[in-house]
């Protein structure tokens, strides 16, 4: 009798356990089966992911033969070649991360690798016709008369080094035409030589960011090889111009039917996300894998903040399919200038000549509606000279009059003002201390179980800290973290599951004792 009573008791306990008997409902934003995974984060809700299959091999440069240790190592990326004699650069978090003065914006859109390329070279070996291209032989040719879409990410470094440019796409009927140039690094674009034709172009411009662009083409003959890079026009810049490419997807137009798009510029007040509409389909939108209840149309009613958006598409014929995620981050541009002047001199800012020491702000609004806050820190010192001990953030210029300084060191600066005030300034410039560990091991041994960053006493707060995986998916976000508290931050878990070993990207908003918020990024490795 006791044995049967124990069996009935066990069955009663099991019947009351939702994790064993409940079924996850995939569109209610509730963890129905109490397993710590909600909606499409739960295996119960798995759907086929719909995304175009690129005819360009290794489209995100992730597959590699070797880890780059320096510039011009495009051959390390599987199936890619140096299309031009002017050499493109292979950038990868495993090794070489690009030129120090031309940083890649992080995180990289799709994985851990991208390529960098120039449009003209200036300096001791100036050559305005130096144009760098990446090229590949397609896995199958573009067919004559068929409509295709070429979708890609272009990255920009500093504004003066990434001026507006027309990204240009070229094709060839024969893979043997790769590489082109025949040893002439001043040939310019592919069509300056035989065997290549122009396929299309699109304008691109930005600063320290990635932007997704596309080119629609319908070839008039079969195309077997492609090259992408700058336009054929002669470069008129006076500084080295540089850009990045990632996730080059080339497929027939129909493959993009469920591609998630912005309805307007990211800064527009009415911006939303959409997929093409069909009255035979049902839609359900998700953010970070959790259903947005009531968002059941082909277009979102409104954006629900930064995050990874997906839409599930269902019909009796198609079954369950889910569009590849769209990582939305609202642009938050801004910059800071620190200017030091001789007494009696002036600096023109926000429509006025500024002569008094202080902090000044100017808000600029672009045609797309992005508000950019420009902060001027203006310091005035005496005629006789001064010693200035200052700190700046890596990659940030420190100004003394019209002179600017990027790297730590001791500098003597002679200033001459417009009214004859001469002054000699001894500048002792240091960088703010910043400590970002290159690895952590969340194994509950009390050592390196959390990942965060730290700095010197000047670092007041980490206002926002985010971690992304190699696909750009948000793994962790924390706000108002205390600097140097390495018992807080990311614990290596996401959505109730332990994150796998590998390389991750962080982005942190830092507030220093001068009241300025700065953004830094980097990579680290998770070990278990």
């Amino acid at each position: 009798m006791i044995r049967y009573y124990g069996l009935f008791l066990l069955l009663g306990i099991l019947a009351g356990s939702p994790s064993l008997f409940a079924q996850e409902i995939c569109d209610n934003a509730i963890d129905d089966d109490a397993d710590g995974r909600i909606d499409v984060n739960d295996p119960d809700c798995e759907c086929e992911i719909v995304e175009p299959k690129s005819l360009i091999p290794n489209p995100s440069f992730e597959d590699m033969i070797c880890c780059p240790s320096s510039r011009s190592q495009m051959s390390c990326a599987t199936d890619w070649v140096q299309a031009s004699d002017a050499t493109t650069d292979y950038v990868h978090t495993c090794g070489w991360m690009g030129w120090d003065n031309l940083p890649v914006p992080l995180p990289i859109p799709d994985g851990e690798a991208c390529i960098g390329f120039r449009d003209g070279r200036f300096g001791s070996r100036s050559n305005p016709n130096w144009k760098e291209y990446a090229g590949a032989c397609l896995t199958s040719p573009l067919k004559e008369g068929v409509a295709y879409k070429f979708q890609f990410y272009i990255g920009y470094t500093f504004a003066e080094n990434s001026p507006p440019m027309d990204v240009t796409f070229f094709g060839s009927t024969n893979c043997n035409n790769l590489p082109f140039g025949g040893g002439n690094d001043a040939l310019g674009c592919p069509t300056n030589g035989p065997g290549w034709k122009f396929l299309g172009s699109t304008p691109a411009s930005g600063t320290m960011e990635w932007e997704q662009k596309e080119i629609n083409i319908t070839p008039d003959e079969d195309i077997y090889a492609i090259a992408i890079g700058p336009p054929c026009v002669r470069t008129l810049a006076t500084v080295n111009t540089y850009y990045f490419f990632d996730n080059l997807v080339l497929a027939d137009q129909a493959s993009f039917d469920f591609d998630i798009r912005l309805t307007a510029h990211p800064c527009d007040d009415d911006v939303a996300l959409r997929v093409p509409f069909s009255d035979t389909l049902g839609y359900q939108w998700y953010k970070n894998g959790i259903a947005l209840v009531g968002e059941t149309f082909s277009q979102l009613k409104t954006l629900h903040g930064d995050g990874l958006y997906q839409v599930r598409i269902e019909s009796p014929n198609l079954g369950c399919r889910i569009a590849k995620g769209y990582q939305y981050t609202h642009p938050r541009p801004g910059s800071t200038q620190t200017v030091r002047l001789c007494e009696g001199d002036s600096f023109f800012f926000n429509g006025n000549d500024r002569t008094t020491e202080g902090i000044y702000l100017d808000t600029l609004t672009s045609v797309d509606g992005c508000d950019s806050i420009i902060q001027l820190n203006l310091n005035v010192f005496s005629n006789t000279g001064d010693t200035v001990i200052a700190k700046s953030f890596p990659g940030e210029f420190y100004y003394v009059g019209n002179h600017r300084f990027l790297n730590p060191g001791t500098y003597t600066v002679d200033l001459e003002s417009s009214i004859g005030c001469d002054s000699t300034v001894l500048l002792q410039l240091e960088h703010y201390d910043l400590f970002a560990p290159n690895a952590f091991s969340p194994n509950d041994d009390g050592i390196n179980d959390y990942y965060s960053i730290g700095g010197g006493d000047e670092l007041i707060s980490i206002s926002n800290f985010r971690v992304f995986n190699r696909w750009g998916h948000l793994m962790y976000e924390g706000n108002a973290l205390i600097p140097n508290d390495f018992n807080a931050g990311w614990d290596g878990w996401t959505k109730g599951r332990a994150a796998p070993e590998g390389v991750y990207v962080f982005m942190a908003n830092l507030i220093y004792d001068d009241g300025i918020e700065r953004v830094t990024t980097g990579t680290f490795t998770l070990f278990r």
Side-chain angles (χ1 to χ4, degrees):
M1 184 68 179
I2 294 175
R3 181 180 303 171
Y4 289 114
Y5 175 79
L7 177 60
F8 293 146
L9 178 62
L10 176 61
L11 290 174
I13 293 172
L14 293 178
S17 172
S19 62
L20 292 176
F21 289 95
Q23 176 72 28
E24 182 72 13
I25 299 171
C26 304
D27 57 4
N28 63 357
I30 297 173
D31 184 9
D32 302 286
D33 56 5
D35 65 353
R37 294 170 289 188
I38 302 174
D39 294 341
V40 297
N41 296 310
D42 194 306
D44 293 343
C45 300
E46 286 184 351
C47 291
E48 177 191 358
I49 295 179
V50 182
E51 58 181 323
K53 304 298 183 185
S54 184
L55 298 176
I56 299 174
N58 194 15
S60 292
F61 312 101
E62 295 301 300
D63 299 331
M64 60 182 181
I65 300 168
C66 53
C67 185
S69 58
S70 185
R71 62 182 180 86
S72 304
Q73 295 185 1
M74 194 69 216
S75 59
C76 281
T78 306
D79 293 320
W80 286 92
V81 299
Q82 293 284 9
S84 53
D85 284 285
T87 53
T88 44
D89 301 320
Y90 185 41
V91 178
H92 200 292
T93 57
C94 69
W96 193 69
M97 280 295 288
W99 301 89
D100 290 340
N101 62 331
L102 299 169
V104 57
L106 296 174
I108 296 171
D110 190 34
E112 301 165 12
C114 64
I115 62 167
F117 66 98
R118 295 179 187 268
D119 182 14
R121 186 171 66 184
F122 300 91
S124 59
R125 298 172 59 197
S126 290
N127 179 358
N129 286 326
W130 179 280
K131 293 179 178 289
E132 299 178 353
Y133 296 86
C137 189
L138 300 177
T139 57
S140 61
L142 305 183
K143 294 297 185 179
E144 175 186 350
V146 176
Y148 294 90
K149 185 188 297 293
F150 177 41
Q151 192 177 82
F152 58 92
Y153 281 91
I154 180 168
Y156 312 100
T157 187
F158 300 123
E160 64 179 351
N161 300 107
S162 295
M165 179 193 67
D166 287 339
V167 181
T168 310
F169 191 41
F170 301 91
S172 177
T173 58
N174 195 323
C175 287
N176 292 332
N177 290 326
L178 278 173
F180 58 84
N184 178 12
D185 59 23
L187 174 72
C189 76
T191 54
N192 289 336
W196 288 89
K197 65 185 303 177
F198 169 84
L199 293 180
S201 66
T202 185
S205 63
T207 302
M208 289 308 301
E209 63 183 326
W210 287 93
E211 183 181 22
Q212 190 175 54
K213 307 290 287 187
E214 62 184 41
I215 299 171
N216 296 312
I217 61 171
T218 303
D220 55 13
E221 58 184 327
D222 291 355
I223 298 295
Y224 286 79
I226 55 96
I228 183 171
C232 293
V233 296
R234 182 184 175 92
T235 305
L236 300 178
T238 57
V239 298
N240 287 316
T241 55
Y242 203 78
Y243 309 84
F244 304 90
F245 280 138
D246 191 34
N247 197 24
L248 310 180
V249 179
L250 175 62
D252 61 277
Q253 288 273 6
S255 299
F256 291 87
D257 281 351
F258 298 120
D259 203 24
I260 298 176
R261 304 291 185 87
L262 284 171
T263 59
H265 189 275
C267 293
D268 193 294
D269 290 339
D270 298 325
V271 66
L273 295 172
R274 64 173 176 83
V275 291
F277 170 75
S278 172
D279 58 7
T280 64
L281 301 177
Y283 304 90
Q284 174 61 58
W285 286 87
Y286 299 83
K287 177 187 170 186
N288 298 331
I290 299 174
L292 298 169
V293 178
E295 294 283 12
T296 56
F297 299 93
S298 62
Q299 178 172 315
L300 278 172
K301 299 171 187 174
T302 182
L303 280 171
H304 299 255
D306 294 356
L308 181 71
Y309 287 83
Q310 294 171 285
V311 59
R312 190 181 67 192
I313 301 135
E314 291 187 282
S315 76
N317 296 328
L318 294 176
C320 169
R321 296 201 280 180
I322 193 164
K324 183 183 178 182
Y326 186 100
Q327 182 69 46
Y328 173 79
T329 304
H330 183 75
R332 298 174 180 88
S335 63
T336 301
Q337 280 184 287
T338 300
V339 176
R340 292 185 175 268
L341 297 177
C342 285
E343 191 175 36
D345 209 344
S346 65
F347 187 83
F348 188 78
F349 182 78
N350 194 14
N352 294 286
D353 287 317
R354 306 293 181 178
T355 60
T356 305
E357 186 168 296
I359 296 175
Y360 301 90
L361 299 176
D362 189 10
T363 301
L364 305 177
T365 302
S366 72
V367 294
D368 299 307
C370 287
D371 285 340
S372 180
I373 307 299
I374 312 299
Q375 177 170 317
L376 170 67
N377 299 327
L378 186 61
N379 302 121
V380 180
F381 48 82
S382 66
N383 310 14
T384 56
D386 212 342
T387 297
V388 177
I389 300 175
K391 289 192 175 184
S392 66
F393 198 67
E396 178 180 277
F397 286 109
Y398 188 88
Y399 286 81
V400 178
N402 293 320
H403 303 269
R404 67 180 188 178
F405 302 90
L406 183 64
N407 298 314
T410 300
Y411 305 91
T412 300
V413 186
D414 293 322
L415 298 180
E416 297 180 0
S417 77
S418 58
I419 61 173
C421 163
D422 296 333
S423 179
T424 299
V425 177
L426 180 66
L427 171 65
Q428 297 176 3
L429 182 62
E430 299 178 359
H431 275 165
Y432 285 116
D433 292 330
L434 184 65
F435 175 64
N438 59 15
F440 84 124
S441 54
N443 54 10
D444 295 325
D445 63 354
I447 302 173
N448 297 326
D449 286 332
Y450 291 84
Y451 188 85
S452 186
I453 61 177
D457 294 339
E458 305 89 352
L459 180 57
I460 304 301
S461 174
I462 304 171
S463 60
N464 181 260
F465 186 72
R466 289 181 288 170
V467 176
F468 302 87
N469 67 7
R470 58 181 290 177
W471 295 280
H473 296 171
L474 182 68
M475 308 295 285
Y476 167 80
E477 181 170 15
N479 296 294
L481 302 183
I482 299 174
N484 304 307
D485 182 1
F486 292 97
N487 291 316
W490 187 38
D491 62 0
W493 285 68
T494 183
K495 299 174 184 175
R497 289 181 286 183
E501 289 190 339
V503 176
Y504 292 83
V505 175
F506 74 81
M507 179 177 294
N509 293 59
L510 311 176
I511 298 178
Y512 283 84
D513 56 4
D514 59 3
I516 300 171
E517 184 175 75
R518 297 169 170 92
V519 178
T520 187
T521 60
T523 61
F524 63 92
T525 303
L526 187 157
F527 294 103
R528 292 201 180 274

